[in-house]
Amino acid sequence: MQSLLELAKTAPEAALEQTRQLKGELQQEAQAGILALWGQTNPALAWRWLESNHPDDNAAFIALIGAIAITQPTATLDLADRYAQSQSPIKKDIYQAAIQGLVRGGHYDSAVFLLDYLDQNDGFRQDLTRALVAQWATYQPQAALEWLAQQPAQPVANPPGRSGTMPTETAQDDALQQQNELRENTYRQWLMEDTTAAASWLGSQTPSPALDALFGQLAQQLADDPRQALAAAGRIQDSQLKLNTLLGVLSPVKQADPAQASAYIQQLDYLNDSQRNSLKRDLALTP
């Protein structure tokens, strides 16, 4: 196998010819590895070989698209689109392989371009958005979050029997909820990997209801530093979520030092008297 892959770097067709001596899964593995190398340097020829020798091997074409995408974003967009148009039942798999390969190669703009190109009516754009952001956030969480914040909630496919109708209000709510969950998951991933950078970015954002859950996550992450955690909680817009987050931050403080917990509550100038009393009551502190 290793000698075939070495040969493939300079003579891919010769290497592929030699795979005819192999059988079963070993042959498939060797051909896939050689095509992946060839596709990253000359995608058109690699694609043509596969069309000539295995025209019905959908899995091989999908794998080749993913490999090509790592180094050849422009060719990927063309090949993925043409193949998807001829293979409608596996269109989602084709585009997903392309997006994953583009992200692996750092071609985020091309991945976004492909995603924006997709037909909204295909019904899988939200799934591919989730796949894109999950990978993108591993390498560039700030860019992934900022792009996600600019995206409208993805339309949801119409329920069976309602073709031609507008999405229901419930479906639109579900789409918005899915997008919020994706944003929260992306921020949580960043927060766990680089708390300082994630906290700095969120601190530079203008508070809004859309960011409430992120400020709540930040407050929980900073719980070992109550002053910072309480400051993050103070930027939450929803009153009930703010109080719940404060309870989560102050409960361990109260267990260790009730007087300190009371002092923190008194210092929170973003609370009114009613909210302060509610916190003290829930924490079983003397009013």
Side-chain angles (χ1 to χ4, degrees):
M1 179 72 73
Q2 190 59 41
S3 63
L4 285 175
L5 292 177
E6 285 297 322
L7 178 61
K9 294 178 182 179
T10 55
E13 286 187 273
L16 286 166
E17 183 63 29
Q18 290 192 23
T19 64
R20 297 183 186 279
Q21 303 172 18
L22 305 175
K23 302 296 182 182
E25 292 184 4
L26 185 58
Q27 183 186 68
Q28 294 176 359
E29 182 181 348
Q31 289 180 352
I34 294 167
L35 284 169
L37 288 173
W38 197 8
Q40 291 177 29
T41 57
N42 197 323
L45 289 180
W47 192 269
R48 194 176 307 157
W49 184 92
L50 191 55
E51 283 183 323
S52 299
N53 292 273
H54 301 282
D56 299 322
D57 192 341
N58 294 335
F61 280 105
I62 290 173
L64 181 55
I65 286 172
I68 291 172
I70 297 173
T71 59
Q72 305 286 337
T74 301
T76 299
L77 297 176
D78 178 59
L79 289 171
D81 184 51
R82 285 197 289 113
Y83 191 57
Q85 298 311 316
S86 66
Q87 301 289 336
S88 183
I90 58 171
K91 188 182 294 186
K92 176 182 178 180
D93 296 327
I94 294 168
Y95 286 131
Q96 182 164 314
I99 287 174
Q100 290 176 336
L102 290 168
V103 173
R104 283 181 60 197
H107 309 296
Y108 307 110
D109 289 345
S110 295
V112 168
F113 178 85
L114 178 56
L115 194 62
D116 288 341
Y117 167 79
L118 297 182
D119 187 342
Q120 302 281 6
N121 295 321
D122 281 332
F124 52 72
R125 192 175 187 276
Q126 180 69 16
D127 290 341
L128 296 189
T129 298
R130 187 179 295 107
L132 165 61
V133 173
Q135 285 188 276
W136 191 1
T138 301
Y139 305 101
Q140 294 185 350
Q142 179 175 338
L145 273 170
E146 290 176 347
W147 174 80
L148 188 60
Q150 298 172 3
Q151 305 308 302
Q154 302 297 337
V156 176
N158 289 323
R162 298 199 53 178
S163 177
T165 65
M166 294 295 291
T168 64
E169 184 176 343
T170 299
Q172 292 173 331
D173 290 343
D174 288 345
L176 181 59
Q177 181 179 349
Q178 289 180 10
Q179 184 161 354
N180 288 339
E181 290 175 354
L182 181 56
R183 179 171 53 242
E184 292 164 25
N185 291 339
T186 302
Y187 186 71
R188 184 180 297 109
Q189 178 180 339
W190 187 15
L191 196 58
M192 296 296 291
E193 294 175 356
D194 191 340
T195 300
T196 301
S200 177
W201 174 81
L202 189 57
S204 69
Q205 305 301 303
T206 301
S208 70
L211 296 178
D212 276 357
L214 307 193
F215 281 113
Q217 290 180 22
L218 178 59
Q220 294 173 17
Q221 184 72 10
L222 298 175
D224 289 340
D225 186 339
R227 291 187 183 279
Q228 288 193 44
L230 294 171
R235 304 191 72 185
I236 297 173
Q237 304 294 289
D238 182 82
S239 297
Q240 191 58 54
L241 178 59
K242 180 184 295 184
L243 289 175
N244 290 341
T245 303
L246 290 172
L247 279 172
V249 173
L250 290 169
S251 289
V253 177
K254 186 260 183 180
Q255 295 298 322
D257 188 345
Q260 182 63 73
S262 293
Y264 279 141
I265 293 175
Q266 288 303 124
Q267 294 166 11
L268 298 178
D269 57 7
Y270 53 76
L271 295 181
N272 56 40
D273 289 341
S274 176
Q275 290 171 325
R276 286 193 180 88
N277 291 334
S278 176
L279 269 178
K280 289 181 178 180
R281 182 172 57 253
D282 290 341
L283 289 167
L285 293 169
T286 302

